Amino acid sequence: MNNVLRYLFFLLVVRPIVLIVLGLNIRRGELLPKKGPAIVVANHNSHLDAIVLMTLFGMSRLHDVHPVAAADYFLKNPRRAWFSTKIIGILPLERKVAGMRTDPLAGICEGLERNEILILFPEGSRGEPEQMAKLQNGIAHVAKRRPDVPVVPVFLHGLGKALPRGEGILVPFFVDIFVGEKVEWTGNRDEFIATLETRFEELSQECYRPEWD
Amino acid sequence: MIESLMEWFRGWTQFDHLTTEVIITLSSIALALVIASVLVRVKQRLQPERDHTELRLRVRTWWVIAWMFGLAVVLSPMLSAIFLAFVSFLALKEYLSLIPTRRADRRVLFWAYLAIPIQYYLAYIGWYGMFLVFIPVYMFLFLPARVVSIGETKGFLRAISTLNWGLMTMVFSLSHMVALMSLKIPETALVAPEWPDVDNQFAPGVGLLVLLVLLTQFNDVAQYIWGKSFGKMRAAPTVSPGKTVAGLLGGIGSTVVLAMLLGPWLTILDWKTAALGGVLIAVSGFAGDLSISALKRDLGVKDSGSMLPGHGGILDRVDSLTYTTPIFFHFVYYCYG
């Protein structure tokens, strides 16, 4: 039942909004992973980021694609939790790991075991729209455990203008999507994060961004 | 139930607004595209070492545009209005995505988008007076007032002028296509309509709309070909180095000839009016093309978007139309309105 609802929601609500109201310009879409296990990492500006990235994989791969999202925010109340986990299909992640006894990355690793394509936002939060924050280390921990899983960086532009944090009205803008070459685990955490940051920097340089302030 | 469903369906498809000439013209465009597709295939076969991707994409996109426009025009005036309003929406969205905007004005842009359905509805029902003043009077005064209410004064003038220019070209100008479609010719027209249809059996607007779009696109292509073949002296070197005087003059000549041939047959225009209409379309099309080129040059972008493979974005396709549409409409309205 939930799967049907999820499917219908993406077909009838998400896709029309993303493809008609917004509209995507995708560069190098062929670099996106064809099948799981894989991790797509993206910059985070808006609640729309995850669902826009999910539409890139088409309806046929929808059941395989899951965004990793903050448990403290998305599981806050039962209604939001139901919608996030059952309809959007998020994989909840605890952001505050201090004093935790269980393994915070267990959920992500299980997802990868199930050959899913996971969407991660290594900045950790939406922050200031259209401005990149420093990457968190979590993604490096995942890469260290599963060095065989490709980590594909995707740079998004426009969604922070369309629906920034704290805004309720969606204003149509074209969304630019730049897919980068996958990043390999090198054995060093700082090096991995640095490579990823450089890759994002290169992708953002490629993007034409009009002034917005 | 079935009766009302049929009735509803009939509302969306009213083929009786079409003349035979419009159908023949649209079919000829399809035929021209078939020939273009075949030529691209032949070229690919003859010169396999050269890359024809750009040309192939361009022709394929022409197919999509022709199909969409053709279907929208053929099925019913209401569908044409919806389709053209959607084109306006895409153009305005591309424009607003390209230009610098202020964070504070996000919600003001939302109001600007809302002008599209209203403006196109006014054009569709043929409320001429309101159609004419809604954007240049009401929107142009309302939007600055809304911006003022936000209270951010830094960059106020630029924010207002860029937004108004976008509404002017992408919404107000292009909506004249629908106004042209719902044009009614009164008994008191300045010029007598040259047309076989005396009892107003068909709407004259569809033919005029097809003529406008066809001449505008033809003029673009003709200017390009004349410029490539004979062009030496550049017409606007700082804005668009590809534009030449020979291209402009050749384009005007070809467009006028086509206008004189098609006008009296396809539309209510007689050959003299059609020729003048052709000149107006050729000259204003040139200006419209240049104004979008200047916009892109100012912003430092090459293509306005990648929505139409081989053509760039929507703006690159409607650039000439933003000028030819209102100019041609008001010329026709002066003669026959």
Side-chain angles (χ1 to χ4, degrees):
Chain A
M1 183 57 196
N2 273 324
N3 265 333
V4 176
L5 277 181
R6 183 170 192 244
Y7 195 88
L8 286 177
F9 178 70
F10 271 84
L11 189 71
L12 302 177
V13 180
V14 171
R15 288 183 80 84
I17 289 179
V18 169
L19 300 178
I20 296 172
V21 178
L22 293 171
L24 311 179
N25 289 325
I26 306 161
R27 280 1 99 85
R28 293 181 303 274
E30 70 279 0
L31 291 179
L32 286 168
K34 301 280 177 297
K35 58 181 190 344
I39 297 171
V40 170
V41 287
N43 57 326
H44 204 10
N45 291 311
S46 161
H47 273 327
L48 295 171
D49 293 338
I51 56 171
V52 164
L53 287 166
M54 289 173 82
T55 56
L56 295 183
F57 294 93
M59 290 307 288
S60 59
R61 278 185 287 172
L62 179 66
H63 62 279
D64 269 342
V65 186
H66 297 276
V68 174
D72 53 281
Y73 181 84
F74 287 97
L75 303 184
K76 206 151 120 200
N77 62 58
R79 209 180 295 173
R80 191 188 283 179
W82 174 82
F83 185 78
S84 312
T85 52
K86 303 295 183 197
I87 301 298
I88 303 293
I90 66 157
L91 212 63
L93 172 79
E94 290 293 343
R95 278 193 287 200
K96 291 189 183 60
V97 289
M100 259 178 74
R101 280 165 183 226
T102 50
D103 173 13
L105 299 179
I108 294 179
C109 291
E110 280 163 26
L112 293 173
E113 290 295 330
R114 289 192 297 267
N115 290 336
E116 289 172 352
I117 299 172
L118 301 185
I119 296 170
L120 252 95
F121 299 102
E123 289 167 281
S125 137
R126 284 171 293 163
E128 277 285 295
E130 303 299 326
Q131 270 173 34
M132 193 118 191
K134 214 178 143 18
L135 300 188
Q136 308 278 326
N137 281 328
I139 179 65
H141 289 295
V142 179
K144 187 180 175 187
R145 282 195 214 179
R146 292 293 304 267
D148 57 308
V149 174
V151 177
V152 181
V154 175
F155 183 77
L156 304 167
H157 167 249
L159 287 162
K161 289 161 83 174
L163 190 71
R165 185 178 200 160
E167 285 282 351
I169 293 176
L170 174 70
V171 176
F173 284 103
F174 272 104
V175 178
D176 291 299
I177 298 174
F178 295 83
V179 186
E181 296 282 347
K182 65 178 182 201
V183 177
E184 305 275 355
W185 172 248
T186 50
N188 182 309
R189 195 180 74 186
D190 293 339
E191 203 182 318
F192 179 79
I193 294 288
T195 315
L196 208 53
E197 276 183 335
T198 327
R199 196 61 55 88
F200 270 118
E201 181 56 31
E202 285 164 11
L203 291 175
S204 75
Q205 291 295 324
E206 214 183 307
C207 174
Y208 162 76
R209 283 182 287 175
E211 265 174 70
W212 195 58
D213 48 33
Chain B
M1 176 66 196
I2 300 229
E3 269 303 293
S4 60
L5 208 68
M6 289 289 287
E7 198 54 45
W8 179 79
F9 187 69
R10 225 170 280 142
W12 289 83
T13 53
Q14 329 170 319
F15 298 101
D16 51 357
H17 65 296
L18 297 173
T19 58
T20 327
E21 287 83 359
V22 167
I23 294 169
I24 294 175
T25 309
L26 291 175
S27 313
S28 315
I29 295 172
L31 187 68
L33 280 174
V34 170
I35 295 171
S37 294
V38 170
L39 281 180
V40 171
R41 285 276 165 81
V42 170
K43 236 172 128 73
Q44 219 158 10
R45 195 60 66 77
L46 290 179
Q47 308 167 307
E49 71 285 353
R50 277 179 61 185
D51 184 22
H52 297 289
T53 321
E54 163 94 22
L55 194 64
R56 213 181 58 234
L57 286 176
R58 205 166 244 264
V59 172
R60 196 202 284 166
T61 303
W62 268 125
W63 269 112
V64 177
I65 296 173
W67 261 110
M68 305 269 285
F69 178 72
L71 271 183
V73 167
V74 164
L75 289 179
S76 75
M78 185 167 49
L79 271 180
S80 313
I82 294 173
F83 172 76
L84 293 170
F86 186 62
V87 171
S88 245
F89 168 70
L90 290 178
L92 184 67
K93 187 168 62 170
E94 200 166 275
Y95 173 82
L96 293 178
S97 302
L98 277 177
I99 63 161
T101 48
R102 301 186 308 171
R103 223 163 259 242
D105 296 336
R106 222 183 68 87
R107 284 178 179 227
V108 182
L109 302 187
F110 185 78
W111 287 103
Y113 280 112
L114 279 187
I116 298 173
I118 300 172
Q119 174 70 7
Y120 274 82
Y121 177 70
L122 294 171
Y124 175 70
I125 61 170
W127 185 359
Y128 181 69
M130 195 59 186
F131 156 79
L132 217 52
V133 298
F134 173 65
I135 284 181
V137 176
Y138 292 97
M139 282 318 271
F140 281 15
L141 295 179
F142 168 71
L143 290 178
R146 181 71 187 81
V147 171
V148 166
S149 74
I150 296 168
E152 174 68 86
T153 50
K154 192 168 169 291
F156 172 78
L157 188 59
R158 185 165 79 153
I160 288 306
S161 50
T162 47
L163 186 55
N164 281 3
W165 177 239
L167 273 182
M168 175 73 194
T169 48
M170 308 307 159
V171 185
F172 182 70
S173 283
L174 294 181
S175 71
H176 281 75
M177 283 197 268
V178 174
L180 199 58
M181 196 143 185
S182 41
L183 190 68
K184 297 214 168 37
I185 312 295
E187 301 274 320
T188 53
L190 197 66
V191 182
E194 177 109 348
W195 216 30
D197 170 41
V198 276
D199 48 1
N200 248 346
Q201 192 185 353
F202 296 110
V206 187
L208 288 168
L209 175 63
V210 172
L211 183 74
L212 163 75
V213 174
L214 191 66
L215 286 183
T216 304
Q217 303 300 340
F218 174 80
N219 175 57
D220 279 356
V221 176
Q223 285 196 9
Y224 176 77
I225 294 175
W226 281 96
K228 272 258 160 165
S229 315
F230 305 100
K232 284 200 181 63
M233 204 163 80
R234 287 176 176 172
T238 54
V239 185
S240 182
K243 298 266 179 302
T244 62
V245 176
L248 175 60
L249 295 177
I252 294 176
S254 321
T255 305
V256 168
V257 170
L258 186 68
M260 284 195 298
L261 289 175
L262 273 183
W265 173 73
L266 178 67
T267 68
I268 51 170
L269 306 180
D270 57 52
W271 71 268
K272 278 176 279 180
T273 327
L276 193 49
V279 175
L280 289 174
I281 287 179
V283 175
S284 59
F286 180 77
D289 195 340
L290 282 185
S291 82
I292 298 293
S293 296
L295 173 85
K296 289 194 293 182
R297 204 155 271 256
D298 185 17
L299 296 172
V301 293
K302 191 176 160 286
D303 282 333
S304 57
S306 59
M307 218 189 137
L308 304 171
H311 292 261
I314 297 277
L315 296 191
D316 293 320
R317 206 55 276 145
V318 299
D319 50 4
S320 310
L321 277 173
T322 59
Y323 270 59
T324 59
T325 308
I327 301 276
F328 183 71
F329 173 84
H330 288 292
F331 168 66
V332 170
Y333 191 81
Y334 173 75
C335 294
Y336 299 98

